[in-house]
């Protein structure tokens, strides 16, 4: 190898990271800076271990979301066993959102300075503590409730990296033509975690049923009285909830072992030139990102749509109980919605990868938002108006299933696209900073939904209209977002500069 080939890709300068990094300049100054760089000196190579890393990352995110949504799908059973109300069910989900608002700055520092391995170890550590502490059971319901809240908070502290770290992982381990698909898999499996929680919870934990007893005070054998479920049923459901939490703890323990054994921060060789391009240092990145209108338009799109809708899914059983949906039926709807959403997201991001030269993300996001408005608007009209009274129960339930599932597909599909569009349009700000800031904003919106439930006797009538209004607000936000792809454009420009230099030298 010649000395020229050994020249480093990076040039020195202020505010630049030493790790998988990138260049500190504005797009206007590209021609002045890029002629110093030699993109041909980059030796890129993909490793098959990238799929193992993605699998473990996905399973950690999947399990974190299952634990986060433990009690929403079994809300009637939890209320019966622990004496909770709708506000306490919402609070169990609130802890995940609170930590996703408070802790992103901490995880940004960890990912920036120490890489994905340390961040993932902290993630599974928080999950082990969270799922483990919930297994401690004092004698009173009050202290049991306190301990479960602590466990949910600790698990929530492990939820930042699965959400915010996906674009960093895909950039670090995957080549350009697989990057959006990898991000979609990471985001999609989190949604599948929510989906499976809607299915597994009601299958393991039965719903309390009223007891029908023969009224022996009359001669009529058909004359029965109905009483509330008794202590024997309470004990049985209590044991089922405990078994569910023990199972979650076991899965988390297994994943922790996998991360400890093998989960490096990055491969030995970068998978693409983008992986080696310089990023801003941490604090200059934070100062820049909060001043950029295109970050806020993208973040508000994410918050208004996915922030509101994801929180809505966590209390889906509470909302649909008002129109006669059982806990089990709501669980199947939540399961189907998130599975279809995750699958649709992977499919749409694969299309985005195939046609990345057309920069299609903004167009796809606009289509998804408009489609989500139409489908959720139909749900509100059909399920929450007098129209439902004119339809049979099976027809109403079928239409509710279809409209909620289609809205979920639109919401879930938008998430990986937003997380890929952010680094594209905000380069050279680092992926971990952008992802964490997006998570922070999105969860601020989601927290609003769940905090309202803490208001006594608030009901659920406001919920559907709030979600619909959020989608309406998100549409102009994405339309106003400047979608110029600076990240890929920079690398392509550098390659062009280098080719022109080589051509001119050969002609001499």
């Amino acid at each position: 190898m010649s000395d020229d080939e050994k020249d480093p890709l990076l040039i020195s300068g202020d505010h630049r990271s030493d790790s998988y990094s990138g260049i500190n300049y504005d797009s206007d100054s590209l021609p002045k800076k890029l002629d110093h760089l030699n993109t041909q000196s980059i030796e890129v190579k993909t490793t098959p271990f990238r799929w193992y890393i993605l699998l473990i990352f996905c399973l950690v995110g999947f399990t974190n979301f299952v634990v986060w949504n433990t009690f929403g799908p079994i809300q009637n059973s939890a209320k019966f066993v622990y004496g909770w109300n709708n506000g306490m069910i919402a609070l169990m989900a609130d802890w995940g959102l609170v930590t996703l608002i408070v802790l992103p700055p901490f995880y940004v520092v960890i990912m920036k300075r120490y890489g994905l391995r340390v961040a993932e170890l902290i993630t599974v550590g928080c999950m082990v503590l969270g799922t483990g502490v919930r297994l401690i059971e004092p004698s009173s319901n009050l202290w049991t409730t306190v301990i479960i809240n602590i466990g949910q908070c600790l698990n929530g502290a492990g939820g930042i990296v699965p959400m915010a770290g996906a674009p960093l992982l895909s950039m670090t381990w995957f080549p350009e033509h697989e990057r959006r698909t990898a991000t979609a898999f990471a985001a999609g499996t989190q949604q599948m975690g929510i989906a499976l929680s809607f299915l597994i919870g009601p299958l393991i934990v039965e719903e309390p049923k009223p007891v029908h007893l023969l009224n022996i005070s009359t001669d009529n054998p058909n004359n029965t009285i109905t009483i509330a479920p008794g202590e024997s049923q309470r004990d049985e459901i209590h044991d089922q909830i405990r078994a569910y939490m023990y199972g979650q703890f076991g899965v988390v323990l297994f994943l922790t072992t996998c991360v400890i054994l093998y989960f490096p921060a990055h491969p030995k060789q970068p998978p693409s030139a983008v992986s080696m391009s310089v990023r801003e240092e941490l604090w200059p990145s934070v100062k820049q990102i909060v001043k950029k209108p295109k970050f806020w338009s993208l973040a508000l799109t994410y918050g208004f749509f996915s922030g509101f809708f994801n929180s809505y899914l966590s209390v889906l059983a509470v909302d649909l109980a008002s129109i006669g949906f059982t806990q089990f039926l709501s669980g199947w709807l939540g399961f189907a919605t998130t599975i279809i959403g995750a699958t649709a997201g992977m499919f749409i991001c694969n299309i985005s990868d195939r046609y990345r030269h057309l920069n299609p993300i903004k167009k796809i996001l606009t289509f998804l938002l408009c489609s989500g408005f139409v489908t959720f608007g139909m749900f509100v009209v059909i399920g929450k108006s007098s129209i439902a009274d004119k339809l049979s129960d099976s027809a109403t339930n079928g239409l509710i299933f279809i409209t909620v599932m289609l809205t979920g597909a639109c919401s879930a599909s938008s998430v990986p696209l937003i997380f890929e569009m952010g680094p594209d349009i905000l380069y050279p700000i680092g992926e971990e900073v952008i992802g964490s800031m997006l998570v922070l904003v999105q969860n601020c919106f989601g927290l609003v939904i769940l905090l309202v439930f803490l208001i006594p006797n608030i009901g659920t009538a406001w919920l559907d209209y709030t979600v619909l209004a959020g989608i309406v607000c998100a549409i102009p936000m994405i339309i106003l977002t400047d979608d110029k792809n600076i990240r890929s454009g920079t690398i392509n420009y550098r390659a062009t500069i280098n080719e022109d230099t080589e051509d001119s030298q050969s002609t001499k």
Side-chain angles (χ1 to χ4, degrees), residues 254-425:
F254 169 76
L255 291 174
T256 301
T257 304
C258 293
V259 173
I260 291 172
L261 290 177
Y262 185 75
F263 196 96
H266 53 75
K268 293 180 180 179
Q269 292 177 283
S272 67
V274 173
S275 300
M276 285 297 293
S277 57
V278 178
R279 304 297 191 276
E280 284 280 7
E281 282 286 6
L282 177 58
W283 298 118
S285 294
V286 174
K287 292 176 183 178
Q288 282 192 35
I289 198 170
V290 297
K291 297 177 182 178
K292 289 185 178 290
K294 55 186 174 183
F295 164 74
W296 288 109
S297 58
L298 187 65
L300 290 174
T301 299
Y302 186 33
F304 276 125
F305 192 16
S306 292
F308 280 175
F309 189 78
N310 285 353
S311 289
Y312 171 78
L313 283 182
S314 70
V315 291
L316 181 67
V318 176
D319 181 49
L320 295 183
S322 63
I323 55 176
F325 268 56
T326 64
Q327 175 178 287
F328 185 76
L329 190 60
S330 296
W332 273 105
L333 175 55
F335 171 77
T337 299
T338 46
I339 286 292
I340 290 174
T343 305
M346 296 173 191
F347 173 75
I348 289 175
C349 282
N350 184 261
I351 293 176
S352 178
D353 264 338
R354 290 175 181 271
Y355 295 97
R356 60 189 180 279
H357 59 284
L358 299 177
N359 197 24
I361 294 182
K362 180 177 177 178
K363 302 177 185 67
I364 297 174
L365 283 172
T366 304
F367 171 77
L368 292 173
L369 284 165
C370 293
S371 300
F373 169 72
V374 171
T375 54
F376 200 77
M378 292 175 62
F379 161 73
V380 174
V381 171
I382 293 169
K384 299 300 181 71
S385 70
S386 58
I387 293 179
D389 299 332
K390 301 175 183 178
L391 301 172
S392 65
D393 289 343
S394 59
T396 301
N397 292 349
L399 289 172
I400 288 174
F401 260 76
I402 291 171
T403 52
V404 173
M405 285 190 298
L406 289 176
T407 307
C410 295
S411 175
S413 299
S414 70
V415 174
L417 293 174
I418 288 173
F419 272 86
E420 279 297 314
M421 185 177 181
D424 284 346
I425 65 176

Side-chain angles (χ1 to χ4, degrees), residues 100-152:
L100 289 170
I101 293 170
V102 174
L103 293 179
F106 167 75
Y107 279 97
V108 168
V109 173
I110 295 298
M111 287 189 283
K112 190 76 173 176
R113 294 185 179 178
Y114 304 107
L116 276 172
R117 175 172 174 79
V118 174
E120 195 75 354
L121 285 170
I122 295 174
T123 293
V124 293
C126 289
M127 291 172 62
V128 165
L129 290 174
T131 54
V133 77
R134 295 188 311 173
L135 302 178
I136 301 171
E137 188 172 38
S139 56
S140 70
N141 274 349
L142 173 62
W143 284 108
T144 299
T145 300
V146 171
I147 287 175
I148 291 176
N149 273 279
I150 293 172
Q152 292 298 107

Side-chain angles (χ1 to χ4, degrees), residues 148-164:
I148 291 176
N149 273 279
I150 293 172
Q152 292 298 107
C153 183
L154 286 168
N155 180 75
I160 290 95
V161 173
M163 291 188 69

